[in-house]
């Protein structure tokens, strides 16, 4: 039972971090109306937390490998709560708000590097897909919480009320982690012997990192611009659009759990990931068509796009940690998170600029094409036929 408590704590910590790192898009309408910012300026603020995140992920991962997960998560999430509190009640102007969001993102990076390591250490191989699938529900859950809470809080209490809510959530979870989390045990052999560098002599980890980073593009194109698309194209209110997006993020969370269980059942992580990347490309392409020619199907396809584009994340994290091994998993997950969140930092302002210059549908077309590239570079094992062509022999990476 203790491992399930650790999973719950790790998931809660990641959910709180994701709510503020990825929750700023749901303040887009408020920032445009109350702060009189352009869509491109809003895109820069959306990217601010992830900018801080990518600057600190590897360092937090190395700290987790050395000092353990509990201390790293509690300290980082507590620092994030403090930075968000300052942003809520003392920041004046776009520059101050953006800088504090960068600091909060850098502090929250501790959760990204250490909470996955915490979960992986407590679960055996045959349960890791499910466990990491549950842990990775934190991203859509955090975004769903933000989608539900940010628009009404900002309408009623302005930016201080919305960002203050995020600060309080991070502070509470930091205290719970400090009181109840426990680092997974390490064997005496693992603690005594230096582990070999898993990056030497192999490109597999780099291909996993690269393909996962590319899949962030369709995920964040759909997730970051669905609200303003529904407001601009379909004439929805920001509150109603946020509620629909929360449903989509909930479906994304369920998809991560089911996909994780699927990977445990088939004993593979990367082949399901490649298959889902191809499905993501098809769904995002259909969403581009529905965005170019708006219809009652447009909101439905946005929901499906948000849900399916979130489904592969747990697979990439699980395969990264398994390939790296326990002694390197903190650093490997730090590298993995760096690639994903660097992409996440670039996507909102870049897509905002593209959308502002053209329309919404070209952004979705580009995201679908990038999902196709990701599917092509995922390092899946495939059978090699024996010389007589009747039975498979060894396997190679495709």
């Amino acid at each position: 039972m203790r491992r399930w408590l650790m999973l719950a704590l790790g998931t809660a910590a990641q959910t709180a971090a994701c709510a503020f790192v990825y929750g700023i898009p749901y303040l887009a309408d408020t920032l445009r109306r109350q702060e009189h910012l352009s869509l491109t300026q809003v895109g820069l603020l959306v990217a601010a937390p992830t900018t801080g995140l990518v600057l600190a992920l590897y360092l937090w991962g190395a700290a987790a490998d050395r000092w353990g997960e509990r201390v790293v998560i509690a300290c980082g999430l507590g620092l994030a709560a403090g930075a968000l509190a300052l942003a809520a009640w003392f920041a004046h102007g776009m520059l101050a708000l953006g800088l504090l969001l960068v600091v909060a993102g850098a502090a929250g990076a501790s959760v990204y590097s250490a909470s996955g390591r915490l979960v992986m250490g407590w679960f055996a191989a045959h349960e890791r897909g499910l466990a990491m699938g549950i842990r990775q529900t934190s991203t859509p859950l955090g975004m769903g919480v933000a989608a539900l809470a940010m628009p009404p809080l900002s309408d009623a209490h302005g930016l201080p009320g919305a960002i203050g809510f995020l600060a309080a959530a991070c502070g509470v979870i930091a205290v719970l982690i400090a009181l109840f989390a426990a680092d997974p045990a390490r064997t005496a052999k693992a603690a005594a012997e230096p582990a070999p560098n898993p990056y030497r002599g192999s490109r597999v980890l780099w291909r996993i990192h690269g393909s996962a980073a590319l899949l962030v593009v369709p995920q964040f194109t759909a997730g970051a611009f669905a609200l303003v698309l529904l407001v601009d194209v379909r004439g929805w209110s920001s509150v109603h659009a946020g509620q629909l997006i929360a449903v989509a993020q909930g479906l994304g969370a369920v998809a991560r759990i089911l996909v994780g269980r699927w990977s445990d059942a088939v004993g593979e992580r990367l082949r399901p990931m490649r298959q889902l990347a191809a499905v993501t490309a098809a769904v995002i392409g259909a969403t581009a068509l529905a965005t170019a020619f708006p219809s009652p199907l447009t909101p439905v396809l946005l929901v499906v796009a948000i849900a399916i584009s979130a489904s592969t994340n747990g697979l990439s994290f699980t395969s990264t940690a398994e390939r790296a091994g326990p002694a390197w998993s903190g650093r490997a997950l730090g590298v993995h998170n760096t690639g994903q969140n660097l992409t996440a930092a670039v996507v909102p302002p870049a897509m905002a600029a593209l959308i502002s210059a053209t329309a919404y549908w070209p952004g979705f077309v580009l995201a679908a094409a990038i999902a196709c590239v990701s599917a092509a570079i995922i390092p899946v094992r495939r059978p090699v036929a024996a010389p007589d062509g009747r039975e498979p022999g060894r396997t190679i990476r495709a």
Side-chain angles (χ1 to χ4, degrees), residues 287-312:
T287 305
L289 185 63
T291 303
F293 304 98
S295 74
L297 288 178
T298 303
V300 176
L301 283 168
L302 279 171
V303 168
V304 177
I306 291 171
I308 198 67
S309 64
S311 65
T312 61

Side-chain angles (χ1 to χ4, degrees), residues 5-394:
L5 174 61
M6 298 305 108
L7 175 58
L9 289 170
T11 303
Q14 186 80 12
T15 299
C18 288
F20 80 80
V21 171
Y22 305 132
I24 306 303
Y26 307 119
L27 296 174
D29 193 52
T30 299
L31 288 166
R32 291 196 298 176
R33 288 187 292 105
Q34 296 183 7
E35 303 296 322
H36 308 293
L37 301 180
S38 68
L39 185 60
T40 300
Q41 289 175 314
V42 171
L44 291 172
L45 284 180
V46 168
T50 48
T51 300
L53 199 72
V54 299
L55 295 175
L57 279 165
Y58 186 81
L59 294 176
W60 281 117
D65 284 338
R66 182 169 182 179
W67 291 301
E69 295 84 353
R70 183 178 66 86
V71 170
V72 165
I73 297 173
C75 289
L77 208 53
L79 290 172
L84 288 169
L86 290 174
W89 292 294
F90 298 101
H92 300 288
M94 178 180 169
L95 179 60
L97 178 60
L99 288 174
L100 285 168
L101 289 175
V102 169
V103 172
S110 62
V111 182
Y112 287 73
S113 292
S115 65
R117 190 181 190 279
L118 179 70
V119 171
M120 290 291 292
W122 277 98
F123 283 84
H126 68 280
E127 297 177 311
R128 284 179 190 155
L130 174 61
M132 284 296 282
I134 293 172
R135 183 260 188 183
Q136 291 305 115
T137 62
S138 54
T139 301
L141 287 178
M143 296 174 78
V145 168
L148 283 176
M150 295 298 97
L153 283 173
S154 61
D155 284 349
H157 305 288
L159 292 178
I163 298 176
F165 164 77
L166 298 174
C170 290
V172 169
I173 300 299
V175 171
L176 292 176
I177 291 290
L179 292 176
F180 300 112
D183 296 338
R186 294 182 64 190
T187 65
K189 181 179 179 181
E193 296 181 2
N197 187 335
Y199 290 96
R200 290 179 181 168
S202 174
R203 293 182 297 173
V204 171
L205 272 175
W206 291 115
R207 289 176 66 181
I208 296 171
H209 297 332
S211 59
L214 290 175
L215 285 174
V216 169
V217 177
Q219 182 181 353
F220 273 73
T221 301
F225 293 98
L227 187 145
V228 290
L229 189 156
L230 290 170
V231 171
D232 291 347
V233 175
R234 300 295 297 165
W236 288 33
S237 72
S238 61
V239 172
H240 290 154
Q243 290 169 346
L244 181 70
I245 294 167
V247 171
Q249 297 293 357
L251 292 174
V254 172
R256 290 186 178 195
I257 296 172
L258 295 176
V259 166
R261 184 67 190 92
W262 172 30
S263 74
D264 285 337
V266 300
E268 287 191 74
R269 318 293 182 198
L270 296 176
R271 189 177 300 279
M273 183 176 166
R274 175 181 278 186
Q275 293 167 351
L276 288 168
V279 174
T280 296
V283 171
I284 296 291
T287 305
L289 185 63
T291 303
F293 304 98
S295 74
L297 288 178
T298 303
V300 176
L301 283 168
L302 279 171
V303 168
V304 177
I306 291 171
I308 198 67
S309 64
S311 65
T312 61
N313 203 259
L315 298 178
S316 68
F317 274 84
T318 306
S319 58
T320 294
E322 289 178 337
R323 178 79 184 183
W328 272 82
S329 60
R331 282 163 284 185
L333 289 172
V335 173
H336 193 77
N337 268 303
T338 298
Q340 286 197 309
N341 287 283
L342 183 60
T343 309
V346 171
V347 168
M351 282 296 182
L354 175 61
I355 290 168
S356 297
T358 57
Y360 284 99
W361 68 265
F364 282 85
V365 169
L366 177 60
I370 290 173
C372 291
V373 175
S374 173
I377 67 172
I378 294 171
V380 175
R381 290 186 181 273
R382 62 181 175 84
V384 178
D388 61 7
R390 290 179 298 178
E391 294 183 4
R394 61 185 179 88

